[in-house]
Short mmCIF file of all heavy atoms in Angstrom, two decimals:
data_model
loop_
_atom_site.label_atom_id
_atom_site.label_comp_id
_atom_site.label_asym_id
_atom_site.label_seq_id
_atom_site.Cartn_x
_atom_site.Cartn_y
_atom_site.Cartn_z
N PRO A 1 5.80 -13.97 -2.58
CA PRO A 1 5.12 -12.81 -3.15
C PRO A 1 5.90 -12.23 -4.33
O PRO A 1 7.10 -12.49 -4.47
CB PRO A 1 5.06 -11.81 -1.98
CG PRO A 1 6.18 -12.22 -1.08
CD PRO A 1 6.34 -13.70 -1.24
N PRO A 2 5.27 -11.44 -5.19
CA PRO A 2 5.98 -10.84 -6.32
C PRO A 2 6.93 -9.74 -5.85
O PRO A 2 6.85 -9.28 -4.71
CB PRO A 2 4.85 -10.27 -7.18
CG PRO A 2 3.74 -10.01 -6.22
CD PRO A 2 3.84 -11.08 -5.18
N SER A 3 7.83 -9.32 -6.73
CA SER A 3 8.70 -8.19 -6.41
C SER A 3 7.85 -6.92 -6.41
O SER A 3 6.73 -6.90 -6.92
CB SER A 3 9.82 -8.07 -7.44
OG SER A 3 9.27 -7.80 -8.72
N TYR A 4 8.40 -5.83 -5.84
CA TYR A 4 7.62 -4.59 -5.74
C TYR A 4 7.19 -4.10 -7.13
O TYR A 4 6.05 -3.68 -7.31
CB TYR A 4 8.44 -3.51 -5.03
CG TYR A 4 7.61 -2.28 -4.68
CD1 TYR A 4 7.01 -2.18 -3.43
CD2 TYR A 4 7.40 -1.26 -5.60
CE1 TYR A 4 6.23 -1.08 -3.10
CE2 TYR A 4 6.62 -0.16 -5.28
CZ TYR A 4 6.03 -0.08 -4.04
OH TYR A 4 5.25 1.02 -3.72
N SER A 5 8.08 -4.19 -8.11
CA SER A 5 7.75 -3.69 -9.45
C SER A 5 6.67 -4.53 -10.14
O SER A 5 6.04 -4.07 -11.09
CB SER A 5 9.01 -3.66 -10.32
OG SER A 5 9.57 -4.96 -10.43
N ASP A 6 6.46 -5.76 -9.66
CA ASP A 6 5.44 -6.63 -10.25
C ASP A 6 4.10 -6.58 -9.52
O ASP A 6 3.16 -7.29 -9.90
CB ASP A 6 5.94 -8.08 -10.29
CG ASP A 6 6.93 -8.32 -11.42
OD1 ASP A 6 6.97 -7.49 -12.34
OD2 ASP A 6 7.67 -9.32 -11.36
N LEU A 7 3.99 -5.75 -8.48
CA LEU A 7 2.70 -5.60 -7.80
C LEU A 7 1.71 -4.94 -8.77
O LEU A 7 2.03 -3.94 -9.41
CB LEU A 7 2.85 -4.74 -6.55
CG LEU A 7 3.62 -5.37 -5.37
CD1 LEU A 7 3.84 -4.34 -4.28
CD2 LEU A 7 2.86 -6.57 -4.82
N GLY A 8 0.52 -5.51 -8.90
CA GLY A 8 -0.46 -4.97 -9.83
C GLY A 8 -0.15 -5.27 -11.29
O GLY A 8 -0.72 -4.66 -12.19
N LYS A 9 0.75 -6.22 -11.54
CA LYS A 9 1.19 -6.52 -12.91
C LYS A 9 0.07 -7.02 -13.81
O LYS A 9 0.03 -6.71 -15.00
CB LYS A 9 2.33 -7.54 -12.87
CG LYS A 9 2.96 -7.83 -14.24
CD LYS A 9 4.11 -8.80 -14.13
CE LYS A 9 4.79 -9.02 -15.47
NZ LYS A 9 3.91 -9.65 -16.47
N ALA A 10 -0.85 -7.79 -13.25
CA ALA A 10 -1.93 -8.34 -14.07
C ALA A 10 -2.74 -7.22 -14.73
O ALA A 10 -3.08 -7.29 -15.91
CB ALA A 10 -2.84 -9.23 -13.22
N ALA A 11 -3.04 -6.16 -13.96
CA ALA A 11 -3.79 -5.03 -14.51
C ALA A 11 -2.94 -4.25 -15.51
O ALA A 11 -3.42 -3.83 -16.57
CB ALA A 11 -4.26 -4.10 -13.38
N LYS A 12 -1.65 -4.06 -15.19
CA LYS A 12 -0.75 -3.34 -16.11
C LYS A 12 -0.67 -4.03 -17.46
O LYS A 12 -0.65 -3.39 -18.51
CB LYS A 12 0.66 -3.25 -15.50
CG LYS A 12 0.78 -2.35 -14.29
CD LYS A 12 2.22 -2.42 -13.76
CE LYS A 12 2.33 -1.91 -12.34
NZ LYS A 12 3.66 -2.19 -11.74
N ASP A 13 -0.61 -5.38 -17.43
CA ASP A 13 -0.51 -6.13 -18.69
C ASP A 13 -1.74 -5.96 -19.57
O ASP A 13 -1.62 -5.91 -20.80
CB ASP A 13 -0.29 -7.62 -18.38
CG ASP A 13 1.13 -7.91 -17.90
OD1 ASP A 13 1.98 -7.01 -17.98
OD2 ASP A 13 1.36 -9.04 -17.42
N ILE A 14 -2.91 -5.88 -18.96
CA ILE A 14 -4.14 -5.69 -19.76
C ILE A 14 -4.10 -4.33 -20.47
O ILE A 14 -4.59 -4.18 -21.58
CB ILE A 14 -5.39 -5.79 -18.85
CG1 ILE A 14 -5.50 -7.17 -18.23
CG2 ILE A 14 -6.67 -5.50 -19.65
CD1 ILE A 14 -5.70 -8.30 -19.21
N PHE A 15 -3.48 -3.33 -19.84
CA PHE A 15 -3.38 -2.00 -20.43
C PHE A 15 -2.24 -1.87 -21.44
O PHE A 15 -2.29 -1.01 -22.32
CB PHE A 15 -3.19 -0.94 -19.34
CG PHE A 15 -4.48 -0.49 -18.71
CD1 PHE A 15 -4.99 -1.14 -17.59
CD2 PHE A 15 -5.20 0.58 -19.22
CE1 PHE A 15 -6.18 -0.74 -17.01
CE2 PHE A 15 -6.39 0.99 -18.65
CZ PHE A 15 -6.88 0.33 -17.54
N SER A 16 -1.21 -2.69 -21.32
CA SER A 16 -0.03 -2.48 -22.16
C SER A 16 0.19 -3.53 -23.24
O SER A 16 0.69 -3.20 -24.34
CB SER A 16 1.23 -2.42 -21.26
OG SER A 16 1.40 -3.64 -20.57
N LYS A 17 -0.16 -4.77 -22.99
CA LYS A 17 0.13 -5.83 -23.97
C LYS A 17 -0.93 -5.86 -25.07
O LYS A 17 -2.11 -5.66 -24.82
CB LYS A 17 0.22 -7.19 -23.27
CG LYS A 17 1.47 -7.31 -22.41
CD LYS A 17 1.66 -8.73 -21.89
CE LYS A 17 2.98 -8.86 -21.14
NZ LYS A 17 3.20 -10.23 -20.65
N GLY A 18 -0.49 -6.15 -26.28
CA GLY A 18 -1.41 -6.21 -27.41
C GLY A 18 -1.58 -4.88 -28.12
O GLY A 18 -2.44 -4.74 -28.98
N TYR A 19 -0.74 -3.89 -27.76
CA TYR A 19 -0.79 -2.58 -28.40
C TYR A 19 0.61 -2.18 -28.85
O TYR A 19 1.60 -2.60 -28.27
CB TYR A 19 -1.31 -1.51 -27.42
CG TYR A 19 -2.66 -1.81 -26.81
CD1 TYR A 19 -2.76 -2.32 -25.51
CD2 TYR A 19 -3.83 -1.58 -27.52
CE1 TYR A 19 -3.98 -2.59 -24.94
CE2 TYR A 19 -5.07 -1.85 -26.95
CZ TYR A 19 -5.14 -2.36 -25.66
OH TYR A 19 -6.37 -2.63 -25.10
N GLY A 20 0.66 -1.33 -29.86
CA GLY A 20 1.94 -0.78 -30.34
C GLY A 20 1.67 0.43 -31.20
O GLY A 20 1.93 0.43 -32.40
N PHE A 21 1.14 1.46 -30.57
CA PHE A 21 0.69 2.64 -31.31
C PHE A 21 1.87 3.40 -31.93
O PHE A 21 2.88 3.64 -31.28
CB PHE A 21 -0.09 3.59 -30.40
CG PHE A 21 -1.19 2.93 -29.64
CD1 PHE A 21 -1.27 3.05 -28.26
CD2 PHE A 21 -2.15 2.16 -30.28
CE1 PHE A 21 -2.28 2.44 -27.54
CE2 PHE A 21 -3.16 1.55 -29.57
CZ PHE A 21 -3.23 1.68 -28.20
N GLY A 22 1.71 3.80 -33.18
CA GLY A 22 2.69 4.68 -33.82
C GLY A 22 3.98 4.01 -34.25
O GLY A 22 4.93 4.70 -34.61
N VAL A 23 4.04 2.68 -34.20
CA VAL A 23 5.26 1.99 -34.62
C VAL A 23 4.94 0.75 -35.45
O VAL A 23 3.88 0.14 -35.31
CB VAL A 23 6.14 1.56 -33.41
CG1 VAL A 23 6.73 2.75 -32.70
CG2 VAL A 23 5.36 0.67 -32.46
N VAL A 24 5.86 0.43 -36.34
CA VAL A 24 5.84 -0.86 -37.03
C VAL A 24 7.03 -1.63 -36.47
O VAL A 24 8.18 -1.15 -36.52
CB VAL A 24 5.98 -0.69 -38.55
CG1 VAL A 24 6.04 -2.05 -39.24
CG2 VAL A 24 4.82 0.13 -39.10
N LYS A 25 6.78 -2.79 -35.90
CA LYS A 25 7.81 -3.48 -35.14
C LYS A 25 7.93 -4.95 -35.55
O LYS A 25 6.94 -5.60 -35.86
CB LYS A 25 7.49 -3.39 -33.63
CG LYS A 25 8.60 -3.87 -32.72
CD LYS A 25 8.23 -3.65 -31.26
CE LYS A 25 9.37 -4.09 -30.35
NZ LYS A 25 9.03 -3.98 -28.92
N LEU A 26 9.17 -5.43 -35.56
CA LEU A 26 9.44 -6.84 -35.85
C LEU A 26 10.30 -7.41 -34.73
O LEU A 26 11.34 -6.85 -34.38
CB LEU A 26 10.18 -6.97 -37.19
CG LEU A 26 10.68 -8.38 -37.55
CD1 LEU A 26 9.51 -9.33 -37.76
CD2 LEU A 26 11.57 -8.34 -38.79
N ASP A 27 9.85 -8.52 -34.14
CA ASP A 27 10.61 -9.22 -33.10
C ASP A 27 10.93 -10.63 -33.59
O ASP A 27 10.04 -11.34 -34.07
CB ASP A 27 9.80 -9.32 -31.80
CG ASP A 27 9.62 -7.98 -31.13
OD1 ASP A 27 10.64 -7.32 -30.86
OD2 ASP A 27 8.47 -7.59 -30.88
N LEU A 28 12.19 -11.02 -33.44
CA LEU A 28 12.63 -12.34 -33.86
C LEU A 28 13.36 -13.02 -32.72
O LEU A 28 14.31 -12.47 -32.16
CB LEU A 28 13.55 -12.23 -35.09
CG LEU A 28 14.20 -13.52 -35.59
CD1 LEU A 28 13.14 -14.51 -36.07
CD2 LEU A 28 15.19 -13.23 -36.71
N LYS A 29 12.89 -14.21 -32.34
CA LYS A 29 13.51 -14.97 -31.26
C LYS A 29 13.99 -16.32 -31.80
O LYS A 29 13.21 -17.06 -32.40
CB LYS A 29 12.52 -15.21 -30.12
CG LYS A 29 12.03 -13.95 -29.44
CD LYS A 29 11.05 -14.26 -28.33
CE LYS A 29 10.53 -12.99 -27.67
NZ LYS A 29 9.55 -13.28 -26.59
N THR A 30 15.27 -16.61 -31.59
CA THR A 30 15.82 -17.89 -32.04
C THR A 30 16.70 -18.46 -30.93
O THR A 30 17.10 -17.75 -30.01
CB THR A 30 16.67 -17.72 -33.32
OG1 THR A 30 17.71 -16.78 -33.06
CG2 THR A 30 15.82 -17.25 -34.48
N LYS A 31 17.02 -19.75 -31.05
CA LYS A 31 17.86 -20.42 -30.06
C LYS A 31 18.80 -21.38 -30.78
O LYS A 31 18.36 -22.17 -31.62
CB LYS A 31 16.97 -21.18 -29.06
CG LYS A 31 17.73 -21.68 -27.84
CD LYS A 31 16.75 -22.24 -26.80
CE LYS A 31 17.47 -22.64 -25.52
NZ LYS A 31 16.51 -23.13 -24.49
N SER A 32 20.09 -21.28 -30.46
CA SER A 32 21.07 -22.15 -31.11
C SER A 32 21.08 -23.51 -30.44
O SER A 32 20.53 -23.70 -29.36
CB SER A 32 22.46 -21.51 -31.03
OG SER A 32 22.93 -21.54 -29.70
N GLN A 33 21.76 -24.47 -31.08
CA GLN A 33 21.84 -25.81 -30.53
C GLN A 33 22.62 -25.84 -29.22
O GLN A 33 22.41 -26.72 -28.38
CB GLN A 33 22.50 -26.75 -31.55
CG GLN A 33 21.61 -27.06 -32.75
CD GLN A 33 22.26 -28.04 -33.71
OE1 GLN A 33 23.48 -28.16 -33.75
NE2 GLN A 33 21.45 -28.75 -34.48
N SER A 34 23.51 -24.87 -29.03
CA SER A 34 24.31 -24.82 -27.79
C SER A 34 23.56 -24.15 -26.65
O SER A 34 24.08 -24.04 -25.54
CB SER A 34 25.62 -24.08 -28.05
OG SER A 34 25.38 -22.77 -28.52
N GLY A 35 22.32 -23.68 -26.93
CA GLY A 35 21.49 -23.11 -25.88
C GLY A 35 21.54 -21.60 -25.78
O GLY A 35 20.95 -21.02 -24.86
N VAL A 36 22.22 -20.93 -26.71
CA VAL A 36 22.27 -19.47 -26.70
C VAL A 36 20.99 -18.92 -27.33
O VAL A 36 20.60 -19.32 -28.44
CB VAL A 36 23.49 -18.93 -27.48
CG1 VAL A 36 23.54 -17.40 -27.43
CG2 VAL A 36 24.78 -19.51 -26.91
#
């Protein structure tokens, strides 16, 4: 089963993901050859 904080996560994600009101945001994800 999921952890307690992840109960109902599917519904929470529909309400929270895909939005970013009032901010301009940049996310950058990279990975080095050594796995960092």
Side-chain angles (χ1 to χ4, degrees):
S3 63
Y4 190 93
S5 59
D6 283 342
L7 290 173
K9 185 178 184 296
K12 291 178 198 170
D13 286 350
I14 298 296
F15 277 89
S16 62
K17 289 189 175 181
Y19 304 101
F21 309 126
V23 292
V24 177
K25 190 176 182 184
L26 173 65
D27 291 305
L28 175 63
K29 297 180 182 179
T30 57
K31 192 172 185 177
S32 70
Q33 289 183 335
S34 58
V36 181

